[in-house]
């Protein structure tokens, strides 16, 4: 928001005025689809029209009312993905197909036509374990995996396709050509259906192309847990919708958004995941126009009475989730990701839209921001405050007031007479100012237009290529972030990784940088909702995400601020931010005790930087989310499927932030019947598959390390990430029930693309078994010299005190290692040795 607009809104405002924004009843294409679908207008497939091309199988679909055929295309795509496209066979003019979101044209796999029954067609992938069973009348597609139907398309008959028409003024076309207006003769009906014009408040949306909306239903058999379709301030598990209530995907600037609400906010990823025991699926609906998603889950019924003839039979009825997608325009272009594991679905989605960009290392540190730091003296004083209180940080962001009259790429010369000198001061401490060449914040790119309908751009604004804004509204912010990132890479002649933070986003935004959850509020409920919001972003490809620490709007009390720093330290993007009218809240302004607690939380973040960086490499390389809901790591444990108040960082750490005021105890669910979990502070341990009551004081951050993992850390903290390049490492080795552990470590220069082009990186593997810890190479392609050493190893869960510990360096020399053992906590602490992080070595415990 610009300053004038923001100042009109009091920071004490509870939430957004929802009257500014549409609900379903105000959306004409929703009303039209609901009205038409209530009349059950059936489509059927003309299977005698089937043609098998090199890439796809095509056939016509026809509707008994319209009599104008649609063209359906089914593609098999590499990696167990199916694609279904439905378009008009001969549209009056081209319909919008979303470009640039897919990283490249997906490689197709020839689908083999198997003999179906009369009135059906079966297409199988090469291995024959996945099949598309197409039924002609009524038109339906069943996705079959190993003889089990896992998904049905159009089984509820909700396929809807408004074909482009000649505007009424240009042609007095017969009613047969105007299916959608055939029974809408009155002016009142025309207005109600919003065919050529749609009114909202004082705005009129004139539609030169007329009605063009589309819709389709998907039934997920055996599934009752679905996730995804950000961005909403809602639970991680998607809820049932009712008539007049749908998840809205329409990027909007919603200041102080309402929580537990399905209204669209800053970004949209039209991608939904479903999970059940033994199978994860994904549906990626590639459409950038306004989209609504209805969800209906019917849980399993153990004993349902079904009438078969004169006899009632007791029968087990499986659970099912029906998902109904509706978009204002474009074509139906949907990708079905068949898994079967969560990890497979993440890979399938990233194959289409790309993986998370590898971030520069500094961006994983703490960012300090405010709307606005007043002048150069203010910036200097805040920077000095961090040093004085021994709190590390990496980035100082300035908001819009640093500019001259809010014109970007300018400076207010009175307040910032020497911006170069100011940034040199930050750079001398290896910190970043917000206008360093390669680091940019794209704000308000929904786009935010205060005098437009719903505070955004008019839908009939014309873009390049003569496309209306309605066609591509949801990718506007995606394009801004893409252009920014690509421009910055060009500016550095391809040498430096950019850092681009964006508020608006779409599928594929992960390729260009980082997302945050926008204008949240300084309340406990917003701290709590940030966890499911970030988990949802994470499973839909956007690993680098965070929420404004402390809440952007309002004044957090000290306890809330401390708890928010503790949560933020264990979330991917870690930034404190506040709006203009709030009280100052730098970490040292709440008394000595609270300063210490915030300092501890931030320092914990910096301790774990090697682990964070390794996780981001895994996200970049192998599509695995950094922040994971429990069901991703424990897909066979139903108890995890609805958990959203705790999460995994990678596969090794479980975090349960405290999100209630005056909490003295939290209930932490520790999953996995064969797992063991260690408290990261006390080293107390528990077997998995239980809920543990953990006492918490204000200094407690409940974090647990999973048995069987090795977590790399930094043993000393500098004032910024850049000051810690050569500081030593430690390893936290947490033993499984079998006495073993594994972990990985990744290192490169932290800022360039040399890791990619020159293979200048280190990727190491740590493994512990039978009392021996081994450091070996995980990827022989990588080479990166490092002076850094491992100087400390902590082994958790070692049952008995060793008699000796020796280290064996690559040249075969054995050295005794000093150690202390605590029988009470079963921990072994190895110190005062020096083993190169990038070399092969082992440590033997006897």
């Amino acid at each position: 928001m610009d300053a004038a607009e923001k100042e009109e809104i009091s920071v004490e405002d509870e939430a957004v005025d929802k009257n500014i924004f549409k609900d379903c009843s105000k959306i004409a294409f929703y009303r039209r689809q609901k009205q038409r679908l209530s009349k059950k207008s059936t489509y059927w497939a003309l299977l005698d029209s089937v043609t098998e091309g090199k890439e796809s199988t095509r056939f016509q679909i026809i509707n008994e009312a319209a009599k104008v055929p649609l063209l359906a295309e089914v593609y098999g795509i590499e990696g167990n993905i199916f694609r279904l496209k439905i378009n008009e066979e001969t549209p009056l003019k081209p319909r919008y197909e979303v470009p640039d979101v897919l990283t490249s044209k997906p490689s197709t796999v020839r689908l083999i036509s198997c003999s179906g029954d009369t009135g059906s067609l079966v297409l199988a992938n090469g291995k024959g374990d996945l099949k598309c069973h197409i039924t002609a009348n009524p038109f339906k597609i069943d996705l079959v995996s190993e003889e089990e139907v896992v998904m049905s398309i159009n089984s509820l008959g909700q396929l809807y396709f408004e074909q482009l028409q000649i505007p009424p003024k240009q042609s007095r076309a017969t009613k047969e050509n105007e299916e959608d207006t055939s029974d809408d003769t009155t002016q009142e009906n025309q207005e109600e259906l919003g065919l050529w014009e749609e009114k909202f408040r004082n705005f009129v949306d004139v539609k030169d192309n007329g009605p063009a909306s589309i819709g389709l239903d998907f039934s997920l058999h055996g599934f009752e847990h679905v996730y995804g379709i950000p961005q909403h301030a809602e639970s991680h598990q998607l809820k049932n919708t009712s008539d007049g209530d749908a998840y809205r995907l329409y990027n909007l600037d919603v200041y102080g958004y309402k929580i537990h609400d399905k209204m669209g906010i800053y970004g949209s990823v039209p991608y939904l995941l479903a999970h059940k025991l033994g199978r994860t699926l994904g549906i990626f609906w590639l459409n950038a126009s306004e989209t609504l998603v209805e969800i209906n889950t019917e849980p399993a019924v153990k004993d349902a009475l079904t009438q078969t003839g004169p006899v009632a039979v007791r029968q087990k009825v499986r659970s099912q989730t029906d998902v109904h997608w509706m978009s204002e325009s474009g074509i139906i272009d949907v990708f079905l990701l068949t898994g079967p594991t969560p990890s497979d679905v993440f890979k399938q989605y990233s194959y289409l839209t790309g993986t998370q960009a590898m971030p520069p290392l500094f961006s994983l540190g703490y960012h300090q921001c405010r709307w606005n730091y007043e002048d150069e003296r203010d910036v200097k004083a805040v920077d000095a405050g961090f040093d004085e209180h021994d709190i590390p940080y990496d980035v100082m962001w300035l908001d819009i007031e640093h500019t001259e009259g809010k014109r970007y790429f300018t400076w207010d010369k009175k307040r910032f007479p020497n911006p170069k000198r100011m940034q040199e001061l930050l750079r001398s401490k290896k910190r970043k100012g917000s206008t360093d060449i390669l680091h940019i914040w794209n704000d308000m790119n929904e786009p935010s237009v205060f005098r437009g309908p719903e505070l955004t751009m008019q839908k009939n604004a014309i873009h390049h290529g003569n496309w209306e804004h309605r066609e591509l509204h949801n990718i506007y912010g995606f394009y801004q972030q893409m252009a920014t990132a690509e421009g910055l890479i060009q500016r550095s002649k391809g040498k430096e990784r950019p850092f681009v933070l964006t508020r608006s986003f779409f599928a594929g935004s992960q390729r260009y940088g980082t997302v945050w959850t926008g204008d949240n509020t300084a309340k406990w409920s917003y701290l709590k909702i940030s966890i499911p919001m970030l988990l949802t972003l994470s499973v839909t490809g956007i690993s680098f995400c965070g929420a404004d620490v402390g809440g952007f709007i309002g004044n957090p009390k000290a306890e809330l601020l401390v708890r928010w720093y503790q949560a933020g330290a264990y979330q991917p993007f870690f930034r404190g931010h506040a709006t203009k009218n709030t009280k100052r809240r730098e970490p040292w302004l709440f008394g000595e005790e609270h300063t210490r607690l915030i300092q501890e939380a931030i320092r914990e973040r910096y301790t774990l930087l090697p682990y964070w960086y390794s996780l981001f490499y895994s996200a970049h390389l192998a599509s695995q989310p950094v922040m994971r809901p429990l069901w991703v790591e424990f897909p066979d444990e139903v108890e995890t499927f609805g958990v959203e108040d705790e999460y995994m960082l990678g596969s090794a750490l479980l975090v349960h932030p405290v999100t209630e005021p005056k909490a003295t105890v939290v209930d932490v669910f520790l999953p996995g019947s064969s797992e063991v979990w260690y408290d990261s502070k006390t080293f107390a341990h528990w077997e998995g598959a239980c809920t543990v009551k953990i006492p918490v004081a204000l200094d407690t951050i409940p974090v647990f390390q999973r048995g069987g993992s090795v977590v790399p850390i930094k043993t000393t903290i500098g004032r910024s990430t850049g000051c810690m390049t050569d500081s030593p490492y430690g390893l936290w080795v947490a033993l499984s029930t079998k006495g073993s552990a594994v972990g990985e470590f990744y290192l490169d220069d932290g800022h360039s693309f040399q890791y990619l082009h020159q293979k200048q990186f280190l990727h190491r593997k740590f493994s512990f078994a039978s009392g021996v810890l081994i450091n070996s190479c995980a990827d022989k392609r990588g080479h990166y010299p490092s002076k850094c050493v491992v100087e400390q190893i902590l082994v958790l869960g070692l049952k008995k005190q060793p008699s000796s510990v020796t280290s064996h360096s690559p040249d075969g020399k054995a050295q005794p290692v000093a150690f202390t053992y605590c029988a009470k906590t079963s921990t072994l602490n190895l110190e005062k040795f020096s083993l190169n992080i990038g070399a092969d070595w082992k440590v033997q415990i006897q």
Side-chain angles (χ1 to χ4, degrees), residues 308-426:
T308 56
V311 187
V313 181
R314 286 195 175 276
Q315 183 185 336
K316 190 173 177 187
V317 177
R318 281 205 303 172
S319 54
Q320 178 171 312
T321 295
D322 299 318
V323 183
H324 181 197
W325 299 79
M326 293 165 272
S327 292
E328 185 182 9
S329 60
I331 68 164
I332 291 173
D333 187 1
V334 62
F335 295 83
L336 310 173
L337 317 180
T338 67
T341 69
S343 179
D344 292 329
V345 170
F346 298 145
K347 285 185 181 129
Q348 288 156 355
Y349 178 70
S350 73
Y351 172 71
L352 299 171
T353 66
T355 63
Q356 180 67 53
M358 187 65 193
L361 178 61
F362 81 83
S363 64
L364 300 184
Y366 173 63
H367 300 238
Q368 180 66 31
C369 186
R370 177 175 179 79
W371 180 41
N372 213 88
Y373 285 118
E374 295 298 323
D375 50 31
E376 285 179 17
R377 190 187 306 163
D378 197 6
V379 170
K380 198 172 176 181
V382 172
D383 177 69
F386 277 91
D387 290 340
E388 189 187 325
H389 296 93
D390 198 20
I391 302 173
Y393 89 100
D394 265 79
V395 186
M396 176 88 71
W397 290 96
L398 302 180
D399 211 313
I400 45 181
E401 307 303 326
H402 75 276
T403 61
E404 186 183 350
K406 309 220 174 14
R407 289 188 288 276
Y408 292 114
F409 306 109
T410 66
W411 286 93
D412 180 326
K413 292 183 180 63
K414 285 187 186 143
R415 305 209 272 169
F416 296 91
N418 198 335
K420 193 171 179 194
R421 183 182 61 199
M422 176 182 77
Q423 296 196 74
E424 285 300 336
L425 165 77
L426 298 175

Side-chain angles (χ1 to χ4, degrees), residues 127-168:
K127 289 177 283 189
D129 55 345
L130 280 171
K131 292 176 186 163
C132 261
H133 192 126
I134 301 160
T135 306
N137 193 5
F139 167 62
K140 179 178 78 140
I141 299 179
D142 288 322
L143 194 61
V144 181
S145 170
E146 293 169 349
E147 309 310 312
E148 179 197 5
V149 179
V150 289
M151 184 193 300
S152 299
I153 301 172
N154 201 42
S155 58
L156 304 179
Q158 291 175 331
L159 170 58
Y160 184 91
F161 209 106
E162 292 178 328
Q163 293 167 307
L164 298 178
Q165 305 166 34
I166 296 166

Side-chain angles (χ1 to χ4, degrees), residues 182-485:
S182 57
D183 49 6
D184 309 316
T185 49
T186 68
Q187 176 75 28
E188 195 180 312
N189 250 340
Q190 292 280 356
E191 279 190 22
E192 162 64 17
L193 294 174
L195 298 166
W196 299 90
E197 238 181 44
E198 186 174 348
K199 295 188 173 78
F200 175 66
R201 302 182 85 202
N202 303 323
F203 300 97
V204 179
D205 175 18
V206 177
K207 306 175 184 182
D208 287 348
N209 295 317
S213 83
I214 56 171
L216 190 58
D217 63 271
F218 300 79
S219 294
L220 305 163
H221 303 292
F223 292 87
E224 50 186 294
H225 296 86
V226 286
Y227 313 93
I229 56 170
Q231 189 182 31
H232 305 94
E234 248 302 6
S235 57
H236 177 52
Q237 187 180 329
L238 299 175
K239 293 175 177 169
N240 275 4
T241 58
S242 53
D243 265 359
D245 169 41
Y247 283 93
R248 190 180 186 201
L249 295 173
Y250 193 61
N251 299 355
L252 294 169
D253 178 356
V254 187
Y255 182 80
Y257 46 81
K258 197 172 170 210
I259 62 172
H260 297 298
D261 199 291
K262 298 179 182 69
M263 72 184 293
I265 48 176
Y266 310 99
S268 298
V269 181
Y271 166 43
L272 175 142
L273 298 92
H275 179 69
K276 65 176 180 178
L277 290 173
R279 168 75 67 171
T280 313
L281 293 175
I283 301 172
F284 175 35
W285 176 266
L286 183 52
N287 190 296
S289 69
E290 180 176 3
T291 296
L292 299 168
V293 187
E294 291 183 322
I295 290 165
N296 181 51
T297 298
E298 296 287 347
V301 182
K302 282 210 172 103
D303 291 310
L305 280 174
T306 16
Q307 192 75 31
T308 56
V311 187
V313 181
R314 286 195 175 276
Q315 183 185 336
K316 190 173 177 187
V317 177
R318 281 205 303 172
S319 54
Q320 178 171 312
T321 295
D322 299 318
V323 183
H324 181 197
W325 299 79
M326 293 165 272
S327 292
E328 185 182 9
S329 60
I331 68 164
I332 291 173
D333 187 1
V334 62
F335 295 83
L336 310 173
L337 317 180
T338 67
T341 69
S343 179
D344 292 329
V345 170
F346 298 145
K347 285 185 181 129
Q348 288 156 355
Y349 178 70
S350 73
Y351 172 71
L352 299 171
T353 66
T355 63
Q356 180 67 53
M358 187 65 193
L361 178 61
F362 81 83
S363 64
L364 300 184
Y366 173 63
H367 300 238
Q368 180 66 31
C369 186
R370 177 175 179 79
W371 180 41
N372 213 88
Y373 285 118
E374 295 298 323
D375 50 31
E376 285 179 17
R377 190 187 306 163
D378 197 6
V379 170
K380 198 172 176 181
V382 172
D383 177 69
F386 277 91
D387 290 340
E388 189 187 325
H389 296 93
D390 198 20
I391 302 173
Y393 89 100
D394 265 79
V395 186
M396 176 88 71
W397 290 96
L398 302 180
D399 211 313
I400 45 181
E401 307 303 326
H402 75 276
T403 61
E404 186 183 350
K406 309 220 174 14
R407 289 188 288 276
Y408 292 114
F409 306 109
T410 66
W411 286 93
D412 180 326
K413 292 183 180 63
K414 285 187 186 143
R415 305 209 272 169
F416 296 91
N418 198 335
K420 193 171 179 194
R421 183 182 61 199
M422 176 182 77
Q423 296 196 74
E424 285 300 336
L425 165 77
L426 298 175
R427 205 174 283 133
S428 69
K429 300 174 184 182
K430 303 201 170 164
R431 291 171 176 155
K432 309 284 180 189
S434 62
T435 56
D436 279 16
I437 303 179
L438 288 165
H439 316 302
I440 285 184
W441 172 11
N442 291 161
D443 202 353
M444 304 170 67
N445 49 347
E446 292 70 33
S448 192
V449 179
F450 296 117
R451 290 172 182 82
E454 302 193 271
L455 308 184
T456 193
M457 197 183 284
Q458 293 271 21
K459 283 183 170 178
N460 57 359
I462 301 297
H463 286 265
H464 176 74
N466 208 30
W467 293 109
E468 284 193 317
H469 182 72
R470 81 181 73 251
E471 305 285 356
L472 50 89
H473 173 84
N474 284 346
I475 51 171
Y476 185 97
F478 165 89
Y479 275 126
Q480 190 190 41
Q481 192 187 19
M482 174 202 275
T484 306

Side-chain angles (χ1 to χ4, degrees), residues 517-535:
T517 61
D519 297 346
N520 58 358
T521 301
K523 291 183 176 174
W524 288 94
S525 55
Y526 282 80
L527 166 59
K528 197 171 194 168
I529 204 74
S530 70
I531 299 169
M533 288 178 79
L534 298 179
L535 289 174

